[in-house]
Amino acid sequence: MMTAIAPPQSGQRLALLIQYQGTHFHGWQRQVGQRTVQEVIEQAIASVVNHPVSVVAAGRTDTGVHAAGQVAHVTVNSPIPVHRWPGILNARLPADVVIRAAAVVPDHWHARFSALWRRYRYTLYTDPCPNIFLRPWTWHYYYAPLDVEKMAAVLQPLIGRHHLSAFHRSGSNRAHSWVEVQAVSCQRRGALVEIEVQASGFLYGMMRLLVGLLVQVGQGQRSPASFTEIWQQEQRHLVKYAAPPVGLCLLGVGYPESPFPLALCSEAMPQFQLASITPELSIA
């Protein structure tokens, strides 16, 4: 059972913009006996300020899931200027975690409860030829052709406020499955298929279950009408496959007034670029 760490009674509240490769982490949330993102960041900060800290994130990513623009807050007793925190922490953090920026925020500001939206992207690599540079970040899905236009079309009815218990894994302590979906997209860029969802919040396992069902539509195994009926009728028992975590990335988090420059947040939403080889290109 986890023990909560009480923040200091007084101090400065910092917002952190964080990136991490989730491959070797057991998710964000601190867990006894497991390597987690929260724990390694808390250890790094505590080694600087010499008191325990609790780092609170906008979203608790699951085992193996990445983040390009995770946001968290922490309260510290330290005279260190805010602009020095990223460099100090990055020198103490493992190679698969980076603090991109830090900002001072009011004491009432909360990384989770102040957020208006979170945006995730799931990336599939569909070329039969493996690519070692894409392997840590994409689901290598080449088993059947995917009808991306059909996949994009069935996502559209999800926009709005819905009860999405069909995409809610067991094991969550959330009392309900209501989600306000704000934006959706599915597009092909060459061998890459990118599925993005922006919502007020995400249920435990929601994106991976949604992508697993969506791929069935794309390969023709399930009809678009069936996809919509399953989530509208809350038929969780029919959602049997979750996409692997490797392709999922938390792109960013939105706030009424972001503590970070818009350009910095936009830069944290990368897209893979695969060069097109033409017959004119040759090696002498």
PDB file of all heavy atoms in Angstrom, residues 89-113:
ATOM      1  N   LEU A  89      17.591  19.276 -12.323  1.00  0.00           N
ATOM      2  CA  LEU A  89      16.920  17.982 -12.240  1.00  0.00           C
ATOM      3  C   LEU A  89      17.380  17.036 -13.349  1.00  0.00           C
ATOM      4  O   LEU A  89      17.555  15.831 -13.116  1.00  0.00           O
ATOM      5  CB  LEU A  89      15.408  18.173 -12.301  1.00  0.00           C
ATOM      6  CG  LEU A  89      14.798  18.893 -11.102  1.00  0.00           C
ATOM      7  CD1 LEU A  89      13.284  19.019 -11.259  1.00  0.00           C
ATOM      8  CD2 LEU A  89      15.126  18.166  -9.794  1.00  0.00           C
ATOM      9  N   ASN A  90      17.569  17.545 -14.562  1.00  0.00           N
ATOM     10  CA  ASN A  90      17.987  16.671 -15.658  1.00  0.00           C
ATOM     11  C   ASN A  90      19.348  16.043 -15.393  1.00  0.00           C
ATOM     12  O   ASN A  90      19.622  14.933 -15.867  1.00  0.00           O
ATOM     13  CB  ASN A  90      18.002  17.450 -16.978  1.00  0.00           C
ATOM     14  CG  ASN A  90      16.602  17.759 -17.473  1.00  0.00           C
ATOM     15  OD1 ASN A  90      15.653  17.059 -17.152  1.00  0.00           O
ATOM     16  ND2 ASN A  90      16.457  18.829 -18.248  1.00  0.00           N
ATOM     17  N   ALA A  91      20.195  16.717 -14.620  1.00  0.00           N
ATOM     18  CA  ALA A  91      21.492  16.146 -14.260  1.00  0.00           C
ATOM     19  C   ALA A  91      21.350  14.990 -13.281  1.00  0.00           C
ATOM     20  O   ALA A  91      22.261  14.170 -13.140  1.00  0.00           O
ATOM     21  CB  ALA A  91      22.385  17.231 -13.655  1.00  0.00           C
ATOM     22  N   ARG A  92      20.196  14.890 -12.618  1.00  0.00           N
ATOM     23  CA  ARG A  92      19.959  13.850 -11.619  1.00  0.00           C
ATOM     24  C   ARG A  92      18.993  12.772 -12.094  1.00  0.00           C
ATOM     25  O   ARG A  92      18.831  11.751 -11.428  1.00  0.00           O
ATOM     26  CB  ARG A  92      19.414  14.478 -10.328  1.00  0.00           C
ATOM     27  CG  ARG A  92      20.436  15.325  -9.582  1.00  0.00           C
ATOM     28  CD  ARG A  92      19.773  16.209  -8.534  1.00  0.00           C
ATOM     29  NE  ARG A  92      20.751  16.810  -7.635  1.00  0.00           N
ATOM     30  CZ  ARG A  92      21.511  17.852  -7.937  1.00  0.00           C
ATOM     31  NH1 ARG A  92      21.386  18.417  -9.145  1.00  0.00           N
ATOM     32  NH2 ARG A  92      22.377  18.326  -7.065  1.00  0.00           N
ATOM     33  N   LEU A  93      18.314  13.014 -13.207  1.00  0.00           N
ATOM     34  CA  LEU A  93      17.307  12.082 -13.702  1.00  0.00           C
ATOM     35  C   LEU A  93      17.916  11.068 -14.668  1.00  0.00           C
ATOM     36  O   LEU A  93      18.925  11.360 -15.325  1.00  0.00           O
ATOM     37  CB  LEU A  93      16.184  12.852 -14.407  1.00  0.00           C
ATOM     38  CG  LEU A  93      15.238  13.634 -13.501  1.00  0.00           C
ATOM     39  CD1 LEU A  93      14.374  14.581 -14.323  1.00  0.00           C
ATOM     40  CD2 LEU A  93      14.369  12.677 -12.691  1.00  0.00           C
ATOM     41  N   PRO A  94      17.285   9.889 -14.798  1.00  0.00           N
ATOM     42  CA  PRO A  94      17.750   8.918 -15.794  1.00  0.00           C
ATOM     43  C   PRO A  94      17.513   9.436 -17.209  1.00  0.00           C
ATOM     44  O   PRO A  94      16.766  10.395 -17.427  1.00  0.00           O
ATOM     45  CB  PRO A  94      16.897   7.683 -15.500  1.00  0.00           C
ATOM     46  CG  PRO A  94      15.688   8.199 -14.805  1.00  0.00           C
ATOM     47  CD  PRO A  94      16.136   9.397 -14.022  1.00  0.00           C
ATOM     48  N   ALA A  95      18.131   8.782 -18.173  1.00  0.00           N
ATOM     49  CA  ALA A  95      18.107   9.254 -19.554  1.00  0.00           C
ATOM     50  C   ALA A  95      16.723   9.225 -20.173  1.00  0.00           C
ATOM     51  O   ALA A  95      16.483   9.920 -21.172  1.00  0.00           O
ATOM     52  CB  ALA A  95      19.074   8.427 -20.403  1.00  0.00           C
ATOM     53  N   ASP A  96      15.787   8.440 -19.621  1.00  0.00           N
ATOM     54  CA  ASP A  96      14.458   8.337 -20.226  1.00  0.00           C
ATOM     55  C   ASP A  96      13.433   9.292 -19.615  1.00  0.00           C
ATOM     56  O   ASP A  96      12.227   9.138 -19.822  1.00  0.00           O
ATOM     57  CB  ASP A  96      13.925   6.897 -20.188  1.00  0.00           C
ATOM     58  CG  ASP A  96      14.122   6.201 -18.859  1.00  0.00           C
ATOM     59  OD1 ASP A  96      14.624   6.837 -17.914  1.00  0.00           O
ATOM     60  OD2 ASP A  96      13.773   5.007 -18.768  1.00  0.00           O
ATOM     61  N   VAL A  97      13.898  10.315 -18.867  1.00  0.00           N
ATOM     62  CA  VAL A  97      13.029  11.380 -18.345  1.00  0.00           C
ATOM     63  C   VAL A  97      13.728  12.716 -18.547  1.00  0.00           C
ATOM     64  O   VAL A  97      14.922  12.839 -18.266  1.00  0.00           O
ATOM     65  CB  VAL A  97      12.718  11.215 -16.840  1.00  0.00           C
ATOM     66  CG1 VAL A  97      11.730  12.277 -16.387  1.00  0.00           C
ATOM     67  CG2 VAL A  97      12.188   9.836 -16.542  1.00  0.00           C
ATOM     68  N   VAL A  98      12.970  13.707 -19.027  1.00  0.00           N
ATOM     69  CA  VAL A  98      13.513  15.050 -19.227  1.00  0.00           C
ATOM     70  C   VAL A  98      12.522  16.086 -18.698  1.00  0.00           C
ATOM     71  O   VAL A  98      11.323  15.992 -18.977  1.00  0.00           O
ATOM     72  CB  VAL A  98      13.800  15.326 -20.727  1.00  0.00           C
ATOM     73  CG1 VAL A  98      14.073  16.814 -20.963  1.00  0.00           C
ATOM     74  CG2 VAL A  98      14.973  14.501 -21.217  1.00  0.00           C
ATOM     75  N   ILE A  99      13.029  17.061 -17.952  1.00  0.00           N
ATOM     76  CA  ILE A  99      12.233  18.223 -17.562  1.00  0.00           C
ATOM     77  C   ILE A  99      12.484  19.301 -18.609  1.00  0.00           C
ATOM     78  O   ILE A  99      13.592  19.830 -18.725  1.00  0.00           O
ATOM     79  CB  ILE A  99      12.611  18.748 -16.161  1.00  0.00           C
ATOM     80  CG1 ILE A  99      12.566  17.611 -15.120  1.00  0.00           C
ATOM     81  CG2 ILE A  99      11.687  19.904 -15.764  1.00  0.00           C
ATOM     82  CD1 ILE A  99      11.215  16.965 -14.954  1.00  0.00           C
ATOM     83  N   ARG A 100      11.479  19.624 -19.402  1.00  0.00           N
ATOM     84  CA  ARG A 100      11.640  20.607 -20.478  1.00  0.00           C
ATOM     85  C   ARG A 100      11.587  22.037 -19.970  1.00  0.00           C
ATOM     86  O   ARG A 100      12.253  22.914 -20.516  1.00  0.00           O
ATOM     87  CB  ARG A 100      10.541  20.415 -21.519  1.00  0.00           C
ATOM     88  CG  ARG A 100      10.564  19.080 -22.204  1.00  0.00           C
ATOM     89  CD  ARG A 100      10.686  19.134 -23.683  1.00  0.00           C
ATOM     90  NE  ARG A 100       9.980  20.182 -24.369  1.00  0.00           N
ATOM     91  CZ  ARG A 100      10.399  20.697 -25.532  1.00  0.00           C
ATOM     92  NH1 ARG A 100      11.514  20.268 -26.072  1.00  0.00           N
ATOM     93  NH2 ARG A 100       9.712  21.641 -26.148  1.00  0.00           N
ATOM     94  N   ALA A 101      10.792  22.284 -18.945  1.00  0.00           N
ATOM     95  CA  ALA A 101      10.650  23.650 -18.444  1.00  0.00           C
ATOM     96  C   ALA A 101      10.044  23.619 -17.046  1.00  0.00           C
ATOM     97  O   ALA A 101       9.430  22.620 -16.645  1.00  0.00           O
ATOM     98  CB  ALA A 101       9.762  24.481 -19.377  1.00  0.00           C
ATOM     99  N   ALA A 102      10.234  24.705 -16.326  1.00  0.00           N
ATOM    100  CA  ALA A 102       9.631  24.881 -15.006  1.00  0.00           C
ATOM    101  C   ALA A 102       9.092  26.303 -14.912  1.00  0.00           C
ATOM    102  O   ALA A 102       9.641  27.222 -15.533  1.00  0.00           O
ATOM    103  CB  ALA A 102      10.650  24.622 -13.903  1.00  0.00           C
ATOM    104  N   ALA A 103       8.013  26.468 -14.152  1.00  0.00           N
ATOM    105  CA  ALA A 103       7.405  27.786 -13.980  1.00  0.00           C
ATOM    106  C   ALA A 103       6.815  27.876 -12.581  1.00  0.00           C
ATOM    107  O   ALA A 103       6.322  26.889 -12.034  1.00  0.00           O
ATOM    108  CB  ALA A 103       6.316  28.019 -15.029  1.00  0.00           C
ATOM    109  N   VAL A 104       6.857  29.068 -12.001  1.00  0.00           N
ATOM    110  CA  VAL A 104       6.214  29.311 -10.707  1.00  0.00           C
ATOM    111  C   VAL A 104       4.721  29.504 -10.944  1.00  0.00           C
ATOM    112  O   VAL A 104       4.308  30.237 -11.852  1.00  0.00           O
ATOM    113  CB  VAL A 104       6.811  30.549 -10.024  1.00  0.00           C
ATOM    114  CG1 VAL A 104       6.070  30.851  -8.720  1.00  0.00           C
ATOM    115  CG2 VAL A 104       8.292  30.345  -9.762  1.00  0.00           C
ATOM    116  N   VAL A 105       3.889  28.828 -10.146  1.00  0.00           N
ATOM    117  CA  VAL A 105       2.438  28.933 -10.263  1.00  0.00           C
ATOM    118  C   VAL A 105       1.849  29.258  -8.891  1.00  0.00           C
ATOM    119  O   VAL A 105       2.486  29.025  -7.857  1.00  0.00           O
ATOM    120  CB  VAL A 105       1.820  27.626 -10.816  1.00  0.00           C
ATOM    121  CG1 VAL A 105       2.215  27.417 -12.271  1.00  0.00           C
ATOM    122  CG2 VAL A 105       2.232  26.421  -9.970  1.00  0.00           C
ATOM    123  N   PRO A 106       0.623  29.797  -8.853  1.00  0.00           N
ATOM    124  CA  PRO A 106      -0.016  30.095  -7.551  1.00  0.00           C
ATOM    125  C   PRO A 106      -0.241  28.825  -6.740  1.00  0.00           C
ATOM    126  O   PRO A 106      -0.317  27.712  -7.292  1.00  0.00           O
ATOM    127  CB  PRO A 106      -1.352  30.734  -7.959  1.00  0.00           C
ATOM    128  CG  PRO A 106      -1.164  31.188  -9.369  1.00  0.00           C
ATOM    129  CD  PRO A 106      -0.197  30.235  -9.998  1.00  0.00           C
ATOM    130  N   ASP A 107      -0.375  28.985  -5.441  1.00  0.00           N
ATOM    131  CA  ASP A 107      -0.552  27.835  -4.555  1.00  0.00           C
ATOM    132  C   ASP A 107      -1.819  27.054  -4.863  1.00  0.00           C
ATOM    133  O   ASP A 107      -1.893  25.849  -4.588  1.00  0.00           O
ATOM    134  CB  ASP A 107      -0.584  28.296  -3.097  1.00  0.00           C
ATOM    135  CG  ASP A 107       0.780  28.780  -2.614  1.00  0.00           C
ATOM    136  OD1 ASP A 107       1.790  28.468  -3.289  1.00  0.00           O
ATOM    137  OD2 ASP A 107       0.830  29.472  -1.586  1.00  0.00           O
ATOM    138  N   HIS A 108      -2.845  27.715  -5.438  1.00  0.00           N
ATOM    139  CA  HIS A 108      -4.093  27.016  -5.729  1.00  0.00           C
ATOM    140  C   HIS A 108      -4.051  26.288  -7.081  1.00  0.00           C
ATOM    141  O   HIS A 108      -4.961  25.534  -7.395  1.00  0.00           O
ATOM    142  CB  HIS A 108      -5.266  28.009  -5.733  1.00  0.00           C
ATOM    143  CG  HIS A 108      -5.189  29.019  -6.846  1.00  0.00           C
ATOM    144  ND1 HIS A 108      -4.590  30.254  -6.674  1.00  0.00           N
ATOM    145  CD2 HIS A 108      -5.610  28.979  -8.134  1.00  0.00           C
ATOM    146  CE1 HIS A 108      -4.658  30.926  -7.810  1.00  0.00           C
ATOM    147  NE2 HIS A 108      -5.273  30.179  -8.709  1.00  0.00           N
ATOM    148  N   TRP A 109      -3.013  26.536  -7.870  1.00  0.00           N
ATOM    149  CA  TRP A 109      -2.926  25.908  -9.199  1.00  0.00           C
ATOM    150  C   TRP A 109      -2.635  24.419  -9.052  1.00  0.00           C
ATOM    151  O   TRP A 109      -1.783  24.014  -8.260  1.00  0.00           O
ATOM    152  CB  TRP A 109      -1.831  26.587 -10.014  1.00  0.00           C
ATOM    153  CG  TRP A 109      -1.822  26.193 -11.473  1.00  0.00           C
ATOM    154  CD1 TRP A 109      -2.469  26.813 -12.489  1.00  0.00           C
ATOM    155  CD2 TRP A 109      -1.101  25.101 -12.069  1.00  0.00           C
ATOM    156  NE1 TRP A 109      -2.210  26.182 -13.690  1.00  0.00           N
ATOM    157  CE2 TRP A 109      -1.377  25.118 -13.457  1.00  0.00           C
ATOM    158  CE3 TRP A 109      -0.263  24.107 -11.563  1.00  0.00           C
ATOM    159  CZ2 TRP A 109      -0.835  24.191 -14.345  1.00  0.00           C
ATOM    160  CZ3 TRP A 109       0.270  23.177 -12.440  1.00  0.00           C
ATOM    161  CH2 TRP A 109      -0.015  23.217 -13.814  1.00  0.00           C
ATOM    162  N   HIS A 110      -3.346  23.604  -9.822  1.00  0.00           N
ATOM    163  CA  HIS A 110      -3.238  22.150  -9.692  1.00  0.00           C
ATOM    164  C   HIS A 110      -3.072  21.521 -11.079  1.00  0.00           C
ATOM    165  O   HIS A 110      -3.877  21.778 -11.979  1.00  0.00           O
ATOM    166  CB  HIS A 110      -4.497  21.603  -9.008  1.00  0.00           C
ATOM    167  CG  HIS A 110      -4.353  20.219  -8.455  1.00  0.00           C
ATOM    168  ND1 HIS A 110      -4.372  19.090  -9.249  1.00  0.00           N
ATOM    169  CD2 HIS A 110      -4.200  19.791  -7.172  1.00  0.00           C
ATOM    170  CE1 HIS A 110      -4.241  18.023  -8.486  1.00  0.00           C
ATOM    171  NE2 HIS A 110      -4.129  18.419  -7.217  1.00  0.00           N
ATOM    172  N   ALA A 111      -2.033  20.731 -11.258  1.00  0.00           N
ATOM    173  CA  ALA A 111      -1.751  20.151 -12.572  1.00  0.00           C
ATOM    174  C   ALA A 111      -2.915  19.331 -13.097  1.00  0.00           C
ATOM    175  O   ALA A 111      -3.200  19.334 -14.309  1.00  0.00           O
ATOM    176  CB  ALA A 111      -0.493  19.283 -12.497  1.00  0.00           C
ATOM    177  N   ARG A 112      -3.616  18.637 -12.206  1.00  0.00           N
ATOM    178  CA  ARG A 112      -4.725  17.787 -12.637  1.00  0.00           C
ATOM    179  C   ARG A 112      -6.044  18.553 -12.682  1.00  0.00           C
ATOM    180  O   ARG A 112      -6.738  18.569 -13.701  1.00  0.00           O
ATOM    181  CB  ARG A 112      -4.848  16.590 -11.688  1.00  0.00           C
ATOM    182  CG  ARG A 112      -6.003  15.655 -12.028  1.00  0.00           C
ATOM    183  CD  ARG A 112      -6.099  14.529 -11.024  1.00  0.00           C
ATOM    184  NE  ARG A 112      -7.263  13.690 -11.253  1.00  0.00           N
ATOM    185  CZ  ARG A 112      -7.703  12.756 -10.402  1.00  0.00           C
ATOM    186  NH1 ARG A 112      -7.052  12.547  -9.266  1.00  0.00           N
ATOM    187  NH2 ARG A 112      -8.767  12.039 -10.684  1.00  0.00           N
ATOM    188  N   PHE A 113      -6.405  19.197 -11.579  1.00  0.00           N
ATOM    189  CA  PHE A 113      -7.741  19.787 -11.466  1.00  0.00           C
ATOM    190  C   PHE A 113      -7.873  21.121 -12.199  1.00  0.00           C
ATOM    191  O   PHE A 113      -8.989  21.553 -12.486  1.00  0.00           O
ATOM    192  CB  PHE A 113      -8.128  19.937  -9.998  1.00  0.00           C
ATOM    193  CG  PHE A 113      -8.203  18.620  -9.262  1.00  0.00           C
ATOM    194  CD1 PHE A 113      -7.517  18.429  -8.074  1.00  0.00           C
ATOM    195  CD2 PHE A 113      -8.945  17.570  -9.773  1.00  0.00           C
ATOM    196  CE1 PHE A 113      -7.578  17.217  -7.400  1.00  0.00           C
ATOM    197  CE2 PHE A 113      -9.016  16.351  -9.110  1.00  0.00           C
ATOM    198  CZ  PHE A 113      -8.329  16.175  -7.927  1.00  0.00           C
TER     199      PHE A 113
END
